[in-house]
Amino acid sequence: MPADLADWSASDLLEAYSRRTVSPVDVTKAVIARIEAYEPRLQALYAYDPDAAITSARESEQRWMKGGGRALDGIPATIKENIATKGTPVPLGTAARPLTPATEDAPPAARLREDGVVILAKTTMPDYGMLSSGLSSFHPLARNPWDLSKNPGGSSAGAGAAAAAGYGPFHIGTDIGGSIRLPAAWCGVFGLKPSFGRIPIDPTYYGRVAGPMTRSVRDAALMMMSLTRPDARDPMSLPYGDWPWLDLDIDIRGLKIGVMMEAGVGSPLDPEIRAAVEKAAKIFEHAGAAIEEVKPFITREMLDGLDDFWRQRAWMDIGGLSEEERARVLPYILQWAEGGKNLSGAQVYSGMNQMMVMRHAAVAATHRFDFVLSPVAPNVAYEAELASPIHDPEKPFEHIGYTVAFNMSDQPAASVNAGFTKAGLPIGLQIIGRRFDDLGVLRLSHAWEKKCPDRRPWPKL
């Protein structure tokens, strides 16, 4: 067991709480000490409230002492800034929005609070969640704990950094094109983009999901027990199922696993990432899986159509602002969104149609397999000050070719650490499941977690 309580897993904490050998108050104080030591350099948090966390931890301690501990009672957590928590403004990463306190918890926050989780803070994100970066016009620049000169990724930037740094076991991000998996990959943590609708969310939108970001697959599975409970505010959510989320065993023998090494579009694949994913495929093959190549299926037309749609969607938010408000938006995002203001209705419709084409292509390419392996991104973590790996608002999505299709197709997909580059930066392995097989993705991720040959201690700042 780690010497520092801030590094304990949620599973170990719950066992210790039930035996009354560890107190939620002591754990929360340990995480607060970690935050106070790291946060001046990491800048992962927003609305950090240690006093409220201690109060919540004391309430949890009393419940455990009386034998009435809740399902996740006393586990410290952070929640991405765009998931509303009552009384906290939701700036969506941009200085252009008014700071109006939320009137209620959004579904993911509500479920965790109901189960006794200790909410320490929100986590930072870029403007409108439209960057794979920790760069924001509202929040300080978030950094990667493995290398402070590097970006944690985004848009769940602070969540990825907080998970890797040990700001408690539980973190929630959101994902509409890779925003959980990219920072999970670049920060070396586990991140699950569940099937669309598996975790109720509000507001809901095409392709948008919330999901766990943790140091271990088992801790993410614990979160799924809570996060998947129904909420009437999400009219696009899936029917609730009482799944055995903690049953993570899987027999690899006989599984048919596809390997997609090329995205079909975007930046070229880093050779060290290629080698790590190829090694993972060989390890699964040696364990008894049948491995087969998956041809790339994303086209330039699909990615450019998606770009048109989201530029126009962003301009609908930004175009209605006053000149003064618009001037506060991150310049990169403003320039990108302005590319949508003169698009015709036919162009926007065509862009949305390309997302449907992408959806069909993703399912057609992968449905024959139990699972598909791929890189999460073509590159590892890049310079902290950049808005994207190539920092070009005219080519904003060259790094999401491996991830975005599985938002469009509703398939569950996870990032699990596959090792490290020679420079010590984490490499992400994406594990994609058939539609709605979230538990299967967790199981294969757990199997890989045990087999990964390059495991390292968590970074210390």
Side-chain angles (χ1 to χ4, degrees):
M1 207 75 73
D4 192 329
L5 288 171
D7 293 318
W8 283 34
S9 71
S11 298
D12 289 336
L13 288 175
L14 288 173
E15 183 177 347
Y17 291 163
S18 68
R19 294 179 178 178
R20 302 181 190 176
T21 57
V22 171
S23 161
V25 175
D26 291 337
V27 172
T28 301
K29 286 180 177 178
V31 175
I32 288 170
R34 173 71 55 82
I35 290 169
E36 290 176 351
Y38 287 10
E39 187 59 8
R41 288 166 287 171
L42 206 58
Q43 302 286 9
L45 302 183
Y46 161 67
Y48 172 51
D49 193 344
D51 291 338
I54 290 293
T55 298
S56 179
R58 287 195 177 113
E59 292 169 354
S60 173
E61 181 182 61
Q62 288 301 308
R63 288 191 291 270
W64 283 111
M65 292 297 289
K66 295 175 182 177
R70 300 173 186 173
L72 303 176
D73 222 336
I75 304 299
T78 72
I79 297 175
K80 189 176 177 180
E81 182 244 276
N82 64 343
I83 298 174
T85 51
K86 186 176 181 179
T88 304
V90 186
L92 300 182
T94 181
R97 278 172 58 91
L99 296 178
T100 306
T103 58
E104 60 182 354
D105 287 341
R111 298 295 86 75
L112 293 187
R113 209 186 294 273
E114 289 164 2
D115 282 348
V117 166
V118 174
I119 298 173
L120 286 152
K122 309 298 285 292
T123 48
T124 60
M125 60 182 282
D127 289 54
Y128 300 100
M130 291 309 299
L131 293 178
S132 302
S133 171
L135 193 62
S136 163
S137 65
F138 179 80
H139 301 294
L141 176 63
R143 296 181 179 271
N144 192 315
W146 292 95
D147 181 340
L148 292 175
S149 74
K150 302 299 183 185
N151 209 293
S155 64
S156 304
Y167 289 9
F170 286 169
H171 309 273
I172 307 179
T174 62
D175 192 315
I176 205 165
S179 288
I180 286 173
R181 288 157 291 164
L182 291 165
W186 293 334
C187 292
V189 301
F190 178 72
L192 174 67
K193 182 209 79 66
S195 299
F196 181 73
R198 178 69 64 207
I199 293 174
I201 193 169
D202 180 39
T204 189
Y205 199 75
Y206 188 82
R208 181 174 186 247
V209 301
M213 300 177 72
T214 57
R215 284 182 165 188
S216 72
V217 176
R218 186 171 182 82
D219 278 0
L222 277 169
M223 293 182 75
M224 292 296 283
M225 294 173 61
S226 175
L227 294 172
T228 55
R229 290 204 303 273
D231 194 299
R233 290 174 287 176
D234 184 351
M236 301 175 80
S237 59
L238 295 172
Y240 174 70
D242 187 15
W243 290 18
W245 291 108
L246 298 182
D247 179 5
L248 294 175
D249 292 334
I250 188 170
D251 188 351
I252 294 170
R253 291 171 301 176
L255 289 178
K256 190 173 183 180
I257 296 178
V259 180
M260 187 177 74
M261 293 304 308
E262 302 297 336
V265 68
S267 300
L269 182 61
D270 183 300
E272 289 188 275
I273 298 175
R274 180 184 298 275
V277 175
E278 287 176 346
K279 178 180 279 190
K282 288 178 181 177
I283 289 172
F284 279 124
E285 187 174 35
H286 290 157
I291 302 296
E292 184 179 324
E293 179 186 5
V294 177
K295 299 291 186 182
F297 58 86
I298 299 292
T299 66
R300 173 56 58 186
E301 188 177 13
M302 291 178 197
L303 197 63
D304 286 351
L306 178 139
D307 186 14
D308 282 348
F309 175 84
W310 285 103
R311 283 180 194 253
Q312 195 274 341
R313 171 68 180 81
W315 185 250
M316 292 298 293
D317 288 329
I318 295 170
L321 300 175
S322 67
E323 274 191 44
E324 181 183 356
E325 290 169 327
R326 203 177 304 152
R328 298 181 195 139
V329 176
L330 192 74
Y332 181 104
I333 288 293
L334 180 59
Q335 183 180 338
W336 171 72
E338 283 178 334
K341 67 179 178 180
N342 293 321
L343 292 173
S344 68
Q347 287 173 304
V348 175
Y349 174 79
S350 177
M352 187 166 190
N353 189 56
Q354 283 301 315
M355 294 194 293
M356 294 300 294
V357 173
M358 188 184 296
R359 174 191 186 94
H360 286 272
V363 174
T366 61
H367 74 92
R368 295 184 298 109
F369 302 98
D370 297 302
F371 302 97
V372 171
L373 309 180
S374 84
V376 175
N379 55 278
V380 293
Y382 57 96
E383 287 73 15
E385 295 79 10
L386 302 185
S388 75
I390 61 174
H391 201 68
D392 183 352
E394 296 311 312
K395 296 179 179 179
F397 297 144
E398 300 303 294
H399 57 289
I400 67 170
Y402 292 102
T403 54
V404 68
F406 304 109
N407 292 83
M408 300 303 104
S409 66
D410 303 343
Q411 290 171 256
S415 174
V416 62
N417 181 248
F420 296 82
T421 66
K422 291 177 182 176
L425 293 174
I427 295 171
L429 170 69
Q430 184 172 218
I431 296 178
I432 304 136
R434 289 174 171 156
R435 296 180 75 226
F436 314 127
D437 188 19
D438 303 69
L439 184 54
V441 168
L442 286 172
R443 285 171 171 165
L444 197 65
S445 298
H446 182 62
W448 170 253
E449 192 175 55
K450 293 186 289 186
K451 292 178 177 296
C452 181
D454 187 2
R455 304 179 71 179
R456 304 189 184 185
W458 292 103
K460 300 294 184 184
L461 300 188

